[in-house]
């Protein structure tokens, strides 16, 4: 009885400790954001700039009126897509650094369909064009998954190399076979107006793409929580050996995760060319694929949290425009803040890994001492 009674407090303490850790994990991203803003301000001060003036300008540019809010959401839209694409692959313990290339290929697929001389009603035409972009982007990412499973290739290197191929191939396409006749600019002809994404607010670039991005996050959340393949993706990401022992086909899950990740990146490319440029232009992306890493990091790889994370980074981007016009603060400080967020989110994981290795080393030393 005394043994059972003595274990009860320990169990209660373990549950309490687990609860504290869960709370800390949820608040880690928020803490990282606040610390990044504080450290960014300190760096500005050291460099001779007024951080309060800078952050004031950013807030004004991001939320200082209807147009500012619309601009924030416009900037947030591609970041939400990119962050979600990275999150899906990360859940399967895959590092997809090829989102940039996949969104280019997706944009190419959507553009090729949009330029066809079809007389379809607007809604099915838009849906089919976006689906075409998703298929192109998904297959391009799925190729990486297949190479990893079949040949054991490193997905980080493969995706980075495929980025270069995708960007150059799209540049070739808009310079030669798809180039608008009589124009010197590397771009396609403008799409038919029927296939343009509807605007939410007139005289802005805010389209239903933001709604599609938010809906995609919710769908992926449901996929993880309510479907077998979503459960398998999470299992593979958490413990590869245990998943294999449980009978999960690791290779199949990895390929599917890359297909879904690439499809979301392709959807990003498709919504951009149909909602912003309304044509395919060489070099249209400003690095959305890589910015998605920061968005996913701040969201702690949670699909729904990607929406808020994307809006936060979208606000920084929108505010950056006003920062550039009204103050003397260099806009590169926005990149510094973004880098600090990633660093501060990753740092606790690094510390945890160091402590784990230290405990393992101590245990080996103690065991060796006892043996001696």
């Amino acid at each position: 009885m005394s043994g059972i009674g003595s274990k009860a407090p320990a169990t209660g303490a373990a549950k309490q400790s687990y609860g504290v850790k869960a709370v800390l994990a949820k608040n880690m991203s928020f803490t990282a954001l606040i610390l990044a803003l504080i450290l960014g301000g300190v760096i500005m001060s050291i460099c001779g700039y007024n951080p309060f003036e800078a952050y004031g300008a950013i807030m004004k540019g991001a939320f200082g009126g209807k147009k500012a809010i619309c601009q924030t959401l416009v900037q947030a839209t591609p970041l939400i897509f990119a962050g979600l694409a990275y999150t899906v692959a990360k859940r399967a313990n895959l590092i997809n650094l090829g989102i940039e290339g996949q969104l280019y290929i997706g944009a190419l697929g959507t553009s090729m369909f949009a330029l066809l001389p079809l007389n379809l009603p607007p809604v099915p035409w838009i849906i089919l064009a976006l689906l075409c972009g998703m298929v192109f982007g998904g297959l391009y990412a799925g190729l990486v998954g297949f190479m990893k499973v079949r040949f054991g290739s490193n997905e980080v290197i493969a995706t980075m190399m495929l980025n270069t191929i995708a960007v150059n191939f799209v540049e070739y396409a808009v310079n030669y076979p798809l180039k608008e006749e009589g124009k010197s600019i590397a771009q396609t002809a403008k799409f038919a107006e029927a296939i343009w994404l509807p605007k939410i607010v007139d005289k802005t670039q805010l389209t239903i793409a933001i709604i599609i991005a938010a809906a995609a996050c919710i769908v992926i959340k449901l996929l993880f929580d309510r479907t077998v393949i979503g459960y398998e993706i999470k299992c593979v990401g958490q413990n590869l050996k245990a998943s294999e022992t449980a009978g999960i086909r690791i290779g199949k899950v990895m390929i599917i995760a890359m297909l879904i990740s690439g499809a979301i990146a392709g959807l990003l490319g498709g919504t951009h060319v149909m909602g912003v440029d309304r044509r395919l232009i060489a070099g249209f992306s400003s690095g959305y694929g890589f910015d998605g890493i920061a968005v996913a990091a701040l969201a702690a790889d949670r699909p729904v949290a990607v929406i808020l994370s994307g809006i936060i980074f979208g606000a920084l981007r929108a505010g950056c425009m006003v920062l550039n016009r009204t103050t003397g603060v260099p806009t590169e400080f926005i990149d510094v803040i973004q880098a600090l967020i990633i660093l501060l989110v990753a740092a606790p994981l690094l510390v945890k890994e160091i402590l784990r290795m230290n405990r393992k080393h101590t245990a080996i030393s103690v065991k060796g001492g006892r043996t001696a």
Side-chain angles (χ1 to χ4, degrees), residues 4-334:
I4 296 174
S6 65
K7 289 181 181 178
T11 303
K15 288 182 178 179
Q16 184 178 3
S17 175
Y18 178 79
V20 171
K21 288 180 181 178
V23 172
L24 289 174
K26 290 181 180 179
N27 293 331
M28 186 183 297
S29 297
F30 178 75
T31 304
L33 174 63
I34 298 301
L35 287 175
L37 293 175
I38 293 172
L39 289 175
V42 171
I43 295 172
M44 288 183 200
S45 298
I46 294 173
C47 295
Y49 300 105
N50 187 339
F52 297 102
E53 180 185 9
Y55 286 137
I58 291 172
M59 289 298 294
K60 182 180 179 181
F63 303 108
K66 181 179 178 181
K67 287 187 177 179
I69 294 173
C70 288
Q71 185 60 33
T72 293
L73 294 177
V74 168
Q75 295 294 329
T77 301
L79 300 179
I80 293 172
F81 279 122
L84 183 62
Y86 186 84
T87 295
V88 172
K90 184 69 162 41
R91 280 295 189 95
N93 203 26
L94 295 168
I95 306 300
N96 183 7
L97 296 185
I99 296 170
E100 187 77 2
Q102 292 148 25
L103 73 89
Y104 266 91
I105 294 297
L108 177 64
T110 294
S111 301
M112 290 172 64
F113 188 88
L115 291 170
L116 293 175
L118 303 174
N119 292 319
L120 296 174
V123 173
W125 199 356
I126 290 172
I127 292 174
L128 289 173
L130 292 177
L131 285 175
C132 193
M134 292 177 69
V135 170
F136 272 58
L139 291 176
Y140 201 64
L143 176 63
V144 177
F146 173 76
M147 288 192 298
K148 181 176 181 64
V149 172
R150 183 67 178 83
F151 305 107
S153 64
N154 186 300
E155 76 273 12
V156 174
I157 297 174
T159 50
M160 289 293 290
M161 295 300 99
L162 286 172
N163 279 342
T164 304
I165 295 172
V167 173
N168 288 329
F169 183 74
V170 170
E171 186 171 351
Y172 163 78
V174 295
N175 270 290
Y176 296 100
L178 298 180
K179 186 177 180 180
E180 184 179 12
E181 293 184 7
K183 300 290 183 178
S184 59
I185 302 174
Q187 63 184 24
T188 66
K190 214 158 196 177
F191 302 153
E193 190 171 350
I195 205 170
W196 295 358
L197 289 184
K199 288 186 177 181
I200 296 176
V201 180
D202 290 334
K203 298 180 181 180
T204 70
Q205 290 184 330
L206 185 61
T207 67
I208 61 169
I210 184 67
I211 299 175
I212 297 173
C217 292
I218 295 171
V219 169
I220 294 300
K221 168 67 174 174
L222 294 174
L223 175 77
F224 285 148
D225 293 345
R226 303 291 180 86
T227 67
V228 174
I229 187 61
Y231 173 76
E232 290 180 342
I233 288 174
K234 291 193 295 183
C235 287
V236 169
Q238 291 172 1
N239 195 315
L240 196 65
K241 291 184 178 180
S243 299
E244 191 173 11
T245 303
I248 296 175
R249 297 173 61 187
I250 307 298
K252 182 197 75 171
V253 171
M254 286 184 171
I255 292 174
I256 291 176
M258 287 300 294
L259 284 169
I260 297 173
S261 178
I264 296 169
L267 185 59
L268 160 55
T271 53
H272 184 91
V273 295
M274 290 174 61
V276 179
D277 299 328
R278 293 160 183 171
R279 67 174 83 207
L280 180 59
I281 304 174
F284 68 87
S285 173
S286 59
Y288 297 129
F290 298 105
D291 290 335
I293 299 173
V295 173
L298 184 60
D301 298 326
R302 292 171 291 172
V304 176
V306 167
I307 300 173
L308 178 59
S309 179
I311 291 174
I312 290 172
F313 280 101
L316 289 174
R317 281 196 169 205
C320 182
M321 300 175 184
V322 174
L323 180 69
N324 191 30
R325 291 199 309 267
T326 61
T327 71
V329 181
T331 56
E332 284 76 13
F333 277 110
I334 300 298

